[in-house]
Amino acid sequence: MTTPLTVALVTPLTGPDAAQGLAGLRGVTLWARDERLPAPWDEVSLTAYDAYPDPAAAMRAAVAARPDALLGPYGHRAALAACAATDRVVFNTGAPSTRFVRQAFPNVVNIAAATSTWPRGVLAAVRAADRRARKVVLLASGDTAVEITSVARAAATGQAFEVASHVFAPGKATLAATRLPPGDVLIVHASPDDELAAANILLRRPWRAAAFSTAVSAQATASLGDLREQLLAPGSWMPESTQLTATGPTAREFTADYTALHGVAPTETAAWAYVTGLILGRAIRFCGGVQDASVLAAARGIDTTTLLGRFRLDEATGLQVGHQIPIVQWQDGASRTVWPREAARATFAHPRRITSRPASAPPTARPTSTSPTT
């Protein structure tokens, strides 16, 4: 007779975020197959609940089934609604946000560093290479615009930058870009389409460094041509990494196992979902039970490394501080990790060179004011 560890995953399986939700489900499925738990559990029984269109109702349905552990969901709005619908411990699989601080969500275990923290790496890299840069210009849109503005301002203060922040409505990137003042460092955080529209205008200006949140994608930035050179972006994970881990397989081993099981290569979302299972399993082994209070306390004390880097929660906020979002830079047609230093695969090229124009787009009139602040 088997004694399963029952795990509920609440995540979008239909709707606009279905692809990400299904990738997360595949990641957790692989973990459930491979996890080795102490007695009395001899297998993991996983049940998925569709968070679309009502994540709160999906969470309530999952809680009603009385699982041993709750995971999910993907997406900030879905996660906020789902986690607010229960006082059970929830392992935050796919919504890395500073809104899940312990003071507001005391029972949430944050697995990934908040997406909005990526400007910290950009500003740290620039400051390490450049003592002259002073003014940061931030252009943001979307659900996380307020969050990323707050994080960027705090990071800039710590690195002796001043910040001029500008929030625009989705679809209005061109207008917002033409009105943006000059500065030394440009940071843009918006949808891929809005970032591309802004890039075609702003990357002709003489910024000492420029960073766009979606610029890690070769497909999204292909039309920028030479303007993409030396552009910075938050990086993704490295699926072929063989760096040793303290918990779970290497990235390369995970990639091979995931591909063999599902017939497709894993995405970053799938990798984070798998790591969520690893942290849950480690917490259960540490405390020897599945009571929420014990598992939560155990998770808060974990300091380990996984295929996605270090895991450690901040004691005061409960946010993930062990993992740093890597910063990549486009160099000679390839994106290369340049920050943090211990993960760098190339030297940070700075200051940025001003290039000509996109490979397949007509030139755009230069702004009348293009002098950087020094």
Side-chain angles (χ1 to χ4, degrees), residues 133-149:
R134 286 290 176 266
K135 185 175 181 180
V136 176
V137 179
L138 172 67
L139 185 63
S141 181
D143 294 341
T144 60
V146 174
E147 180 179 335
I148 199 163
T149 298

Side-chain angles (χ1 to χ4, degrees), residues 122-357:
V122 170
L123 296 180
V126 171
R127 180 55 77 221
D130 187 347
R131 306 310 301 179
R132 295 177 56 203
R134 286 290 176 266
K135 185 175 181 180
V136 176
V137 179
L138 172 67
L139 185 63
S141 181
D143 294 341
T144 60
V146 174
E147 180 179 335
I148 199 163
T149 298
S150 176
V151 171
R153 285 187 172 277
T157 298
Q159 296 288 348
F161 290 103
E162 60 179 280
V163 180
S165 59
H166 305 265
V167 175
F168 68 95
K172 302 295 184 180
T174 299
L175 178 62
T178 57
R179 294 178 173 177
L180 209 63
D184 298 316
V185 182
L186 171 68
I187 296 176
V188 181
H189 188 97
S191 69
D193 288 345
D194 276 339
E195 288 198 8
L196 186 60
N200 274 299
I201 296 171
L202 294 174
L203 291 182
R204 302 174 191 284
R205 298 194 194 178
W207 311 96
R208 297 180 69 80
F212 285 66
S213 71
T214 64
V216 70
S217 168
Q219 181 178 1
T221 57
S223 65
L224 292 176
D226 290 344
L227 291 175
R228 186 174 67 178
E229 186 67 10
Q230 295 186 344
L231 192 61
L232 297 166
S236 186
W237 69 303
M238 294 178 285
E240 294 304 314
S241 174
T242 59
Q243 185 171 352
L244 295 179
T245 65
T247 300
T250 66
R252 177 177 287 183
E253 291 167 340
F254 162 75
T255 299
D257 290 345
Y258 183 100
T259 304
L261 178 63
H262 297 298
V264 294
T267 63
E268 185 180 30
T269 301
W272 277 116
Y274 182 86
V275 168
T276 303
L278 292 178
I279 298 303
L280 169 62
R282 180 153 181 153
I284 290 173
R285 284 192 295 274
F286 181 84
C287 69
V290 292
Q291 293 76 20
D292 274 3
S294 298
V295 171
L296 179 60
R300 287 174 174 174
I302 292 174
D303 189 345
T304 189
T305 55
T306 73
L307 61 96
L308 287 167
R310 188 180 180 190
F311 175 92
R312 182 175 69 85
L313 299 178
D314 182 77
E315 185 176 347
T317 66
L319 296 176
Q320 178 55 244
V321 293
H323 174 249
Q324 294 186 60
I325 298 175
I327 302 302
V328 302
Q329 184 178 47
W330 284 96
Q331 298 179 1
D332 300 322
S335 62
R336 310 178 195 278
T337 302
V338 295
W339 194 267
R341 284 195 180 101
E342 60 270 20
R345 297 294 184 270
T347 301
F348 175 36
H350 185 84
R352 174 178 167 265
R353 297 191 305 270
I354 304 173
T355 52
S356 56
R357 68 185 63 174

